[in-house]
Amino acid sequence: GQQVMQIPQYQHVQEGEDFTTYCNSSTTLSNIQWYKQRPGGHPVFLIQLVKSGEVKKQKRLTFQFGEAKKNSSLHITATQTTDVGTYFCAGRGVFGNEKLTFGTGTRLTIIP
Amino acid sequence: GAGVSQSPSNKVTEKGKDVELRCDPISGHTALYWYRQRLGQGLEFLIYFQGNSAPDKSGLPSDRFSAERTGESVSTLTIQRTQQEDSAVYLCASSLGEMGRTYEQYFGPGTRLTVT
């Protein structure tokens, strides 16, 4: 079955440093979504990417979808303490399966 | 409008007892998902409903787990003869559902299940 891996599993950064998490799928994806889960909270949708090579920005967050539609990345510029949490990617396969497969997640902690 | 709600928010049960977890999705959302999240871990897919049918039950860990959905609304996840390894947060999510399209999932606050 489809597998979605994320690296790194954990990332500790000084406040103000940049952060990147990478998402890799074992199969080609029709689209990819990103979610953020704050400590003690539930996942909250951030964005969806659909097109090959697509890049979207939300303030300090930059999301990319790979040309082959098998990988994606989330980059945060100049991290702030509010960025703390676990970031999940979630991909849907190309063969009409409605189920999203969530990645393993990257937990970001910020050192003030 | 109201988001996804789940009840109870916390459940402590003795090993061997049955538990029922409830999810009320956002009105009009035809797709409903159940996930399990162990402490510090990722989201483990359990089951997905489109309307009242469950086209994908592949994530249910054993036959002790079952789920149903009625009226294209409320869903109940039942765990029979609970075991300590069932302890986790059970998350429900809903979304608009349409074949060939992917919509964002809205998650409920979860039910924290502790089996003693």
Side-chain angles (χ1 to χ4, degrees):
Chain A
Q2 180 182 30
Q3 292 185 328
V4 181
M5 303 296 293
Q6 283 181 253
I7 55 171
Q9 187 176 1
Y10 303 96
Q11 185 77 59
H12 312 284
V13 301
Q14 291 277 353
E15 187 175 8
E17 289 183 341
D18 292 357
F19 159 76
T20 304
T21 173
Y22 299 91
C23 175
N24 295 287
S25 170
S26 58
T27 59
T28 303
L29 301 171
S30 62
N31 51 53
I32 194 150
Q33 297 180 350
W34 284 89
Y35 291 77
K36 176 184 179 181
Q37 184 176 24
R38 293 180 184 274
H42 56 272
V44 174
F45 174 82
L46 294 176
I47 208 162
Q48 177 169 286
L49 305 171
V50 177
K51 299 177 182 176
S52 169
E54 188 171 11
V55 178
K56 287 189 176 180
K57 293 191 176 184
Q58 289 180 348
K59 298 182 179 178
R60 293 178 295 104
L61 277 61
T62 301
F63 303 84
Q64 289 189 313
F65 199 9
E67 293 290 341
K69 301 184 78 173
K70 293 185 71 175
N71 55 72
S72 180
S73 66
L74 158 59
H75 179 81
I76 303 178
T77 304
T79 54
Q80 300 175 358
T81 55
T82 54
D83 295 326
V84 165
T86 301
Y87 293 85
F88 292 99
C89 62
R92 176 174 168 266
V94 299
F95 295 111
N97 185 342
E98 284 295 321
K99 185 184 77 177
L100 276 179
T101 298
F102 276 80
T104 47
T106 295
R107 183 181 298 178
L108 173 64
T109 56
I110 307 289
I111 306 165
Chain B
V4 178
S5 61
Q6 292 185 245
S7 62
S9 56
N10 280 285
K11 176 72 176 177
V12 180
T13 189
E14 291 181 352
K15 177 181 173 181
K17 301 282 190 182
D18 298 352
V19 295
E20 280 191 356
L21 312 180
R22 177 187 169 108
C23 172
D24 283 87
I26 292 172
S27 177
H29 280 191
T30 58
L32 187 148
Y33 308 80
W34 283 99
Y35 298 91
R36 180 168 69 179
Q37 188 172 36
R38 293 198 166 98
L39 186 63
Q41 302 298 311
L43 298 172
E44 180 184 359
F45 169 80
L46 298 178
I47 189 169
Y48 151 62
F49 287 93
Q50 180 61 42
N52 292 335
S53 64
D56 193 338
K57 305 180 182 179
S58 63
L60 294 177
S62 73
D63 58 8
R64 296 188 296 106
F65 288 72
S66 62
E68 64 175 19
R69 187 180 186 195
T70 55
E72 293 197 355
S73 181
V74 172
S75 176
T76 303
L77 176 68
T78 301
I79 309 174
Q80 297 178 309
R81 305 181 302 281
T82 51
Q83 303 293 315
Q84 288 186 332
E85 62 262 28
D86 299 333
S87 295
V89 174
Y90 289 82
L91 290 162
C92 172
S94 72
S95 74
L96 295 171
E98 181 183 318
M99 286 302 293
R101 293 192 63 179
T102 306
Y103 296 91
E104 64 183 276
Q105 294 187 13
Y106 294 81
F107 283 80
T111 294
R112 182 176 299 278
L113 175 66
T114 304
V115 181
T116 61

